[in-house]
Amino acid sequence: MKSSKTNWFSTILIAILAVGVLIPLYMAINISLKKPSEMGSSLSNFFRLPKILQFNNFKEAITTTNFFQTAFNSLVITVFSVIVVVLFTSIISYAIARNMKKRFYRYIYYYLVSAMFVPFSMLMLPLVKQLSFLQIDNKFGLILMYLVFQTSMSVLLYVGYLKNITTSLDEAAYLDGANSWQIFWKIIFPLLKPLHATVAILTALASWNDLLLPLVVLSGNGNSKVTLPMAQLVFQSQFGTNYNLAFASYILASLPILIFYLFAQKQIISGVVNGAVK
Amino acid sequence: MSRKKIFLLMTLPLVGIFFLFDTVPLLTGFVYSLTNSKGFGSFKFIGLSNYLRLFTDGDVLSSYYFTFKFAIVTTVVVNVFGLLLAIVLNSRIKFKTFFRGIYFLPYILGGLVVGYIFNYIFTFILPSFGKSIGSALLSSSILGSTSTAWIGIVITVAWQSIAFNILIYMSGLQTIPEDVYEAAKMDGSSKWNTFWKITFPLLAPFFTINLVVSMRNFMMVFDQIMSLTGGGPASSTTSISLLIYQKGLSGNQFGYQSANSVIYFVIIVVISIFQLKVLNKREVQL
């Protein structure tokens, strides 16, 4: 018989280890709310709560990192990347999945998916030159790059999922006089909803937190503080003088994604798992 | 419009973009690797001499040494602890969803911010703790020494990415039906035996995913190093990506580091294929 008794030993073990996950975050929030004079160097000092919450740190961090501007830039880049990736890769995946018997489409599939093994560092140097030559070393170019670098994973996911959607739906619609384009939008695209969520979350996490690609694509243009992670990097030069301010800015930078996580935790977790397991 | 034409129209735009921004740079990178380009001005073709120089270049060799050491150790750490935690999280505990949510939290944060937080912990909090327990080893920052800085990076990256491994193992554990365990119990199998003979073999596909994804991600580590050590001290924590970024873009080594990227690419492909081949062999079906 299946027993349903709670395993308290495991519960307590997990709770203790969860503290290990939370301590660094507690430290960061704690420091961001203190005055420099409250820092000290004794161990108990690090954990002690601030006497008065210093929300001024946040105010100052907002102006120092130009928070609203950089957060807005990051948001625009993330949202457009998600839209473009979902649209382009689901359309091409439909065409590939329904034509897998043809060699041409099979080779395109292998071509797109095998690129997963190309490390970004390998493309980084030539890409910088190419983007500035085409004069798209800007946000548009950056979004285009997220489309390119999310393609392999997304096509792999969509095609795998589409193989399980029966073609009888397509055939019935063809008989009713619809064309492939209409069938995709009216029937297939809505059916792909769970996959859209997975692809969107993977793309959003990849672009929101990314540092290297914006650094490479945008800095050449003299734009060193366009996205949130870039603004954090510039902030490091002032790191030595005021940790409270620095941590306030780290908390601020993480806040949007934390709020998003709070509301969409289940979807985010299953999105990431689907992305790996399928 | 015919069915064929519509499908073609659905396919060609992305293939075109992909070719232009993935394949073309791949090929030009290879061409640059055969030149002495500094990233600007004129350059000459110099054949394979960049490649020959790589094998005797101290900077390059030490970045490969660091990257491999880091990637292998971190992969082992996140898989061992990830599997253990997944087993515990999968047992009949209270507040399962709540704890799963907490363990996954680090994964969604940016590598840069996580690096800064741990930088502070290693620079101030850990030494202060070391002094209070009288440990000479921990009394100064582990990031400040060439022999221990890499450990700080392993801890930081493992703390952040273990959530992924836990989740994959958890979803693997859920695919093993309860009655398999019941049967083992009836046959008098010990818990230890059950784990090695039943749980572990059945988890093999998930083990493969975790190993391949972890190794590949850790081989490309960048953000956390930028915020923890910047590659120091004395470039002891300069990863291959960081070296290509630093020397290739602003160190006048465009052609030379392109050759480095080609080698790096080949190594990643070889490792991934090797892992998939070896690991797929030991996967079993229920």
Side-chain angles (χ1 to χ4, degrees):
Chain A
M1 276 315 285
K2 199 172 155 181
S3 71
S4 55
K5 251 181 29 200
T6 302
N7 188 338
W8 283 106
F9 174 76
S10 296
T11 308
I12 291 166
L13 185 71
I14 280 297
I16 292 170
L17 290 171
V19 174
V21 175
L22 293 175
I23 280 183
L25 301 173
Y26 166 78
M27 299 291 326
I29 296 170
N30 196 13
I31 294 170
S32 73
L33 289 165
K34 279 183 178 173
K35 273 197 292 209
S37 60
E38 281 182 86
M39 298 291 278
S41 63
S42 75
L43 202 54
S44 59
N45 239 328
F46 290 122
F47 290 95
R48 190 175 299 148
L49 288 166
K51 288 191 193 84
I52 305 164
L53 300 182
Q54 299 293 325
F55 288 108
N56 258 338
N57 292 337
F58 285 88
K59 241 190 235 165
E60 214 175 309
I62 285 173
T63 40
T64 320
T65 61
N66 201 1
F67 177 76
F68 292 113
Q69 187 59 51
T70 51
F72 178 72
N73 290 340
S74 281
L75 189 70
V76 169
I77 291 166
T78 302
V79 168
F80 276 99
S81 302
V82 167
I83 294 174
V84 169
V85 170
V86 166
L87 289 184
F88 273 83
T89 61
S90 64
I91 291 176
I92 197 171
S93 301
Y94 175 62
I96 290 173
R98 289 294 180 261
N99 292 286
M100 260 308 198
K101 287 204 186 86
K102 294 189 185 119
R103 193 183 289 157
F104 173 72
Y105 285 94
R106 212 162 48 232
Y107 282 169
I108 283 184
Y109 176 70
Y110 294 140
Y111 166 60
L112 295 178
V113 171
S114 63
M116 212 182 287
F117 291 111
V118 181
F120 176 65
S121 320
M122 161 104 205
L123 307 172
M124 175 164 71
L125 305 176
L127 258 183
V128 177
K129 282 189 166 292
Q130 207 177 315
L131 292 176
S132 74
F133 174 76
L134 296 171
Q135 296 190 337
I136 48 171
D137 43 352
N138 51 25
K139 283 179 221 157
F140 172 77
L142 192 56
I143 293 165
L144 202 63
M145 290 303 101
Y146 286 122
L147 171 61
V148 169
F149 294 121
Q150 292 296 321
T151 293
S152 303
M153 176 64 120
S154 308
V155 167
L156 183 72
L157 290 171
Y158 277 124
V159 171
Y161 194 83
L162 277 159
K163 277 185 196 155
N164 295 332
I165 296 182
T166 160
T167 52
S168 59
L169 285 174
D170 302 42
E171 295 308 328
Y174 280 127
L175 288 180
D176 287 345
N179 65 35
S180 313
W181 186 248
Q182 292 161 327
I183 294 171
F184 175 75
W185 287 115
K186 297 242 170 75
I187 303 171
I188 304 296
F189 192 79
L191 282 176
L192 289 174
K193 229 186 207 162
L195 257 280
H196 295 325
T198 295
V199 169
I201 281 160
L202 291 176
T203 306
L205 284 178
S207 58
W208 178 268
N209 285 324
D210 190 30
L211 171 68
L212 186 53
L213 197 54
L215 216 50
V216 165
V217 175
L218 302 173
S219 338
N221 233 349
N223 300 316
S224 55
K225 278 173 79 167
V226 182
T227 68
L228 270 181
M230 287 170 93
Q232 304 305 308
L233 197 62
V234 171
F235 205 74
Q236 199 192 12
S237 48
Q238 300 161 22
F239 193 50
T241 54
N242 192 338
Y243 287 104
N244 307 94
L245 191 57
F247 274 87
S249 97
Y250 306 153
I251 300 292
L252 269 177
S254 315
L255 217 50
I257 196 118
L258 283 175
I259 294 170
F260 179 50
Y261 182 61
L262 210 61
F263 287 106
Q265 185 192 323
K266 229 174 135 187
Q267 285 82 350
I268 292 177
I269 291 180
S270 66
V272 172
V273 174
N274 286 343
V277 178
K278 284 238 171 84
Chain B
M1 226 186 317
S2 73
R3 223 189 265 199
K4 225 171 154 182
K5 262 190 190 152
I6 297 180
F7 278 133
L8 215 51
L9 274 177
M10 288 175 158
T11 310
L12 294 180
L14 187 57
V15 172
I17 293 173
F18 196 81
F19 180 79
L20 194 57
F21 294 102
D22 198 277
T23 311
V24 169
L26 192 76
L27 297 174
T28 47
F30 181 69
V31 173
Y32 274 118
S33 77
L34 304 171
T35 71
N36 63 355
S37 167
K38 289 177 173 170
F40 51 85
S42 61
F43 54 84
K44 276 199 316 237
F45 278 91
I46 53 167
L48 293 173
S49 45
N50 281 334
Y51 289 91
L52 296 174
R53 226 176 94 205
L54 283 173
F55 292 99
T56 52
D57 182 335
D59 284 343
V60 172
L61 293 179
S62 87
S63 79
Y64 276 85
Y65 173 68
F66 163 74
T67 307
F68 273 103
K69 180 171 67 174
F70 162 80
I72 292 171
V73 171
T74 316
T75 302
V76 171
V77 168
V78 296
N79 278 289
V80 170
F81 288 98
L83 181 54
L84 290 176
L85 281 167
I87 289 172
V88 180
L89 269 169
N90 211 46
S91 62
R92 290 187 199 89
I93 60 165
K94 278 250 181 268
F95 318 116
K96 195 180 268 185
T97 328
F98 172 74
F99 282 126
R100 202 181 61 162
I102 289 194
Y103 278 84
F104 197 67
L105 198 55
Y107 191 81
I108 59 152
L109 298 174
L112 199 62
V113 166
V114 169
Y116 284 133
I117 295 175
F118 276 81
N119 187 340
Y120 188 85
I121 293 176
F122 291 138
T123 313
F124 297 102
I125 299 178
L126 204 59
S128 153
F129 173 71
K131 276 177 202 146
S132 72
I133 61 162
S135 157
L137 189 71
L138 290 177
S139 298
S140 55
S141 168
I142 60 168
L143 297 179
S145 146
T146 51
S147 57
T148 53
W150 72 281
I151 298 173
I153 298 173
V154 169
I155 295 173
T156 309
V157 174
W159 179 85
Q160 179 163 29
S161 44
I162 196 166
F164 176 80
N165 303 79
I166 294 176
L167 278 181
I168 301 299
Y169 283 129
M170 274 180 82
S171 55
L173 287 168
Q174 275 149 22
T175 62
I176 306 176
E178 190 78 21
D179 41 322
V180 176
Y181 290 115
E182 297 295 330
K185 219 176 182 177
M186 300 260 263
D187 291 342
S189 166
S190 70
K191 274 201 171 164
W192 182 253
N193 254 332
T194 310
F195 176 77
W196 286 111
K197 296 269 162 64
I198 296 176
T199 314
F200 197 63
L202 286 175
L203 278 179
F206 301 88
F207 185 72
T208 308
I209 295 167
N210 267 334
L211 228 52
V212 175
V213 172
S214 309
M215 190 72 186
R216 184 177 160 278
N217 287 345
F218 298 153
M219 286 286 291
M220 303 188 201
V221 61
F222 182 84
D223 296 18
Q224 289 95 341
I225 296 183
M226 281 292 263
S227 50
L228 276 168
T229 61
S235 47
S236 63
T237 59
T238 300
S239 67
I240 304 169
S241 298
L242 195 62
L243 185 75
I244 294 173
Y245 172 75
Q246 285 175 340
K247 295 271 171 85
L249 281 183
S250 45
N252 291 345
Q253 298 187 345
F254 196 83
Y256 179 58
Q257 290 301 338
S258 296
N260 191 8
S261 342
V262 172
I263 297 290
Y264 177 46
F265 166 55
V266 171
I267 289 178
I268 291 206
V269 170
V270 169
I271 291 178
S272 305
I273 292 176
F274 175 78
Q275 283 179 321
L276 287 171
K277 274 226 150 115
V278 171
L279 294 170
N280 274 333
K281 252 188 213 155
R282 60 167 287 268
E283 288 184 5
V284 292
Q285 286 256 275
L286 196 64

